[in-house]
Amino acid sequence: MADSSTPQPQPGSSPSGTAGSGGASTPGDPPDAGRRRPPYRGDRVVWCLRAALFTYGVALAVVGIADVFWGNDFDVRTHGVVLVGTAAVVAGGTLVALRPEGRLGSVRGWAPRVADAVALLSTVWVLLCVGSNFARQVVLILTAGVALFAGLVALALLVADFTPAAGPRPGETPPAATPATMSSAEATLRGALLTAGAGLLAACVTLPQFWYSVRYEPSTSPPVVMVENGITEVEVRKDRLELTAEITLENTGRTPVRMLTSLYEISGTRIRLASKPLPHDNLPFDRVFGGNYGSAARLSTYTTYTSPQQIQVGPVGEDYAWIGPGEKLRTTLQAHAPLGEFDLLRLTTDIAVARADRVETAAGGAGNYPDGRRRMYCDGTLIAESRRPLAHVGWFDRLTESDRELVTFWALSGDSGDNSPWWPAFPWTNVSIQHTGRGCEHALVPDRDGLEDDAMVGWASSVAEAAVPEEEPAAPAKPAKKR
């Protein structure tokens, strides 16, 4: 039987003298026992890195939402949905890690790691997009810097995630979670998981469409056009030769195209016939294999062709003309030449086209030279140049792709002639898509940087010939009637 004078333990105290639920402490406890200590310096660094990664996730969401609502086409909007899904995973997982300890249970073990891994992969993807055609432009440099910083932060957090955490300090008891706290934590966790799950589900649904529209459809739907030209009529007049030429450009593909630049040329040549065939070893093979001359080049054992003389040259139609699937652009024109100068007439046509959605110009960017093409000398060649700034299709494209220009020109005279035995050296035309700010010499020499391939720039050419008819003999004069 216990002595009534012996004090009994009171509720809220413990025999060992430590503080109970009432928060009391004994004189022997440390001064800060039972209080929550500020985080370690390492914990503060990790918290700052998590906050930076959360900001990166929010930035991805802003860019993705902008592309979803204001993107120029379905491809860009699908791209925006993927960005929003990635941002949901990164921001949701990082938000879980930023919650106080003990409130999220085991989810704190895997959610931050998933967020860090996804963030690291997204930064690699952004850097690859920026580096695919990098130019020293301010926006690209800033985007690359932000992506590189976010990638290093995600990598550092991944290393910290797999590093064993230090235990509590001596004399410090980890806070225990109450049922009410766990209930609040579970509600917060469910909200974060629902947000991340919705983003992942949207990404999984749209990824096949994204792959089809961005990778498959462009590769199977290039611009397809057909050029037909012909000299339909050649007539001998009293003092001249009159001919009629027709040129037809038809879009036979499934996507609209833009006619970037075009050139037709009518030339004439003399024909000299030999009575005996020329020996095979003496044939002028350089007139066929000396360049990529196309269907105009030939070898004949009986016929010799003189150098072509230009009769008429001009554009087939307006530059940057839009041609829809199944539509035709037809040009009929006449030309005149002196009698007795030519035996053979030749019509050549060269047209550059591109997918219309790949060469859309920026607002107000109809051309840098409103008075027409600017004539100037470039590396010893007189050219007539036109520049059109290309539009960005979305915000992600604006941040990861350089500002570009569509440059078309005619070479008129000088050093860089298109020398051929089958057509005059000048003029000739070409097109280049290049980074904004580059000079005219960049368009004269092909750079193989892939920008023309991205826009699906292609050429269509055609050659037609017609013989000059003989002059009709003059009718004998009728004798005058005698009166």
Side-chain angles (χ1 to χ4, degrees):
M1 182 172 180
D3 190 357
S4 60
S5 63
T6 303
Q8 300 294 326
Q10 299 295 324
S13 64
S14 61
S16 59
T18 59
S21 60
S25 60
T26 62
D29 289 334
D32 57 351
R35 300 178 185 174
R36 182 169 184 178
R37 294 190 176 195
Y40 302 112
R41 179 174 298 178
D43 294 339
R44 288 196 295 267
V45 171
V46 172
W47 190 94
C48 292
L49 295 179
R50 292 287 182 197
L53 199 62
F54 177 79
T55 305
Y56 169 74
V58 172
L60 285 182
V62 171
V63 174
I65 292 173
D67 282 350
V68 168
F69 286 98
W70 296 289
N72 288 3
D73 51 36
F74 176 77
D75 298 349
V76 178
R77 293 188 177 95
T78 306
H79 203 167
V81 173
V82 175
L83 286 176
V84 171
T86 303
V89 175
V90 174
T94 306
L95 191 61
V96 169
L98 290 175
R99 297 288 296 175
E101 294 183 7
R103 295 190 175 184
L104 298 176
S106 62
V107 179
R108 291 181 61 89
W110 59 267
R113 297 179 182 181
V114 173
D116 298 340
V118 172
L120 181 61
L121 292 177
S122 68
T123 58
V124 172
W125 175 43
V126 172
L127 290 174
L128 289 176
C129 292
V130 173
S132 60
N133 268 297
F134 184 75
R136 285 179 291 181
Q137 297 178 3
V138 176
V139 174
L140 296 185
I141 294 175
L142 291 177
T143 302
V146 171
L148 182 61
F149 174 75
L152 293 177
V153 169
L155 182 61
L157 290 175
L158 271 177
V159 174
D161 291 338
F162 290 95
T163 301
R169 291 180 177 180
E172 182 177 11
T173 303
T178 62
T181 303
M182 287 299 295
S183 177
S184 175
E186 288 177 359
T188 304
L189 174 61
R190 287 174 182 173
L193 289 179
L194 285 176
T195 303
L200 282 176
L201 180 60
C204 292
V205 171
T206 57
L207 273 177
Q209 298 176 352
F210 174 79
W211 177 85
Y212 177 84
S213 59
V214 175
R215 296 296 179 186
Y216 181 77
E217 187 178 9
S219 63
T220 57
S221 298
V224 182
V225 297
M226 181 176 63
V227 179
E228 292 182 353
N229 60 358
I231 301 175
T232 59
E233 191 174 358
V234 181
E235 296 183 359
V236 177
R237 302 298 185 184
K238 277 186 178 181
D239 57 347
R240 67 186 185 277
L241 190 68
E242 187 176 279
L243 60 100
T244 302
E246 290 187 357
I247 304 170
T248 302
L249 174 65
E250 181 181 2
N251 182 3
T252 58
R254 296 181 297 170
T255 179
V257 301
R258 291 278 187 181
M259 186 172 69
L260 306 181
T261 185
S262 61
L263 182 147
Y264 78 86
E265 186 173 39
I266 301 174
S267 59
T269 185
R270 281 284 195 179
I271 295 176
R272 297 172 183 170
L273 292 176
S275 58
K276 294 181 180 181
L278 194 66
H280 181 76
D281 295 339
N282 295 336
L283 290 176
F285 289 102
D286 289 343
R287 295 175 67 87
V288 175
F289 306 115
N292 188 14
Y293 301 137
S295 59
R298 72 203 68 182
L299 287 176
S300 176
T301 56
Y302 287 94
T303 308
T304 301
Y305 301 91
T306 62
S307 298
Q309 178 64 41
Q310 188 177 94
I311 297 175
Q312 186 169 300
V313 65
V316 176
E318 294 183 0
D319 288 348
Y320 202 67
W322 188 91
I323 306 174
E327 292 186 354
K328 294 182 180 181
L329 185 149
R330 180 170 295 165
T331 302
T332 303
L333 48 93
Q334 286 189 332
H336 304 84
L339 289 174
E341 294 292 328
F342 308 110
D343 300 317
L344 182 69
L345 302 175
R346 181 178 297 118
L347 170 63
T348 59
T349 305
D350 297 299
I351 300 175
V353 299
R355 276 185 61 135
D357 58 349
R358 302 295 181 93
V359 289
E360 290 296 334
T361 57
N368 291 14
Y369 315 124
D371 297 332
R373 293 179 180 269
R374 185 178 67 169
R375 288 186 295 274
M376 59 184 176
Y377 279 94
C378 184
D379 285 351
T381 302
L382 178 62
I383 66 172
E385 179 192 74
S386 175
R387 292 175 178 254
R388 288 179 170 86
L390 297 182
H392 288 284
V393 296
W395 277 98
F396 186 78
D397 181 83
R398 187 183 299 273
L399 294 174
T400 58
E401 298 290 346
S402 63
D403 294 332
R404 300 171 183 179
E405 291 179 320
L406 170 64
V407 182
T408 60
F409 67 91
W410 281 37
L412 306 178
S413 63
D415 300 335
S416 302
D418 187 11
N419 299 310
S420 165
W422 304 105
W423 54 75
F426 291 98
W428 56 274
T429 186
N430 204 355
V431 58
S432 173
I433 297 178
Q434 59 191 41
H435 303 296
T436 300
R438 293 195 172 179
C440 62
E441 66 280 353
H442 189 76
L444 285 176
V445 181
D447 50 14
R448 310 300 182 193
D449 57 3
L451 299 184
E452 290 81 10
D453 296 335
D454 293 342
M456 294 189 177
V457 176
W459 287 86
S461 302
S462 183
V463 178
E465 294 179 339
V468 176
E470 295 182 0
E471 298 182 33
E472 296 181 0
K478 294 182 180 181
K481 293 183 180 181
K482 296 182 179 181
R483 295 182 178 179

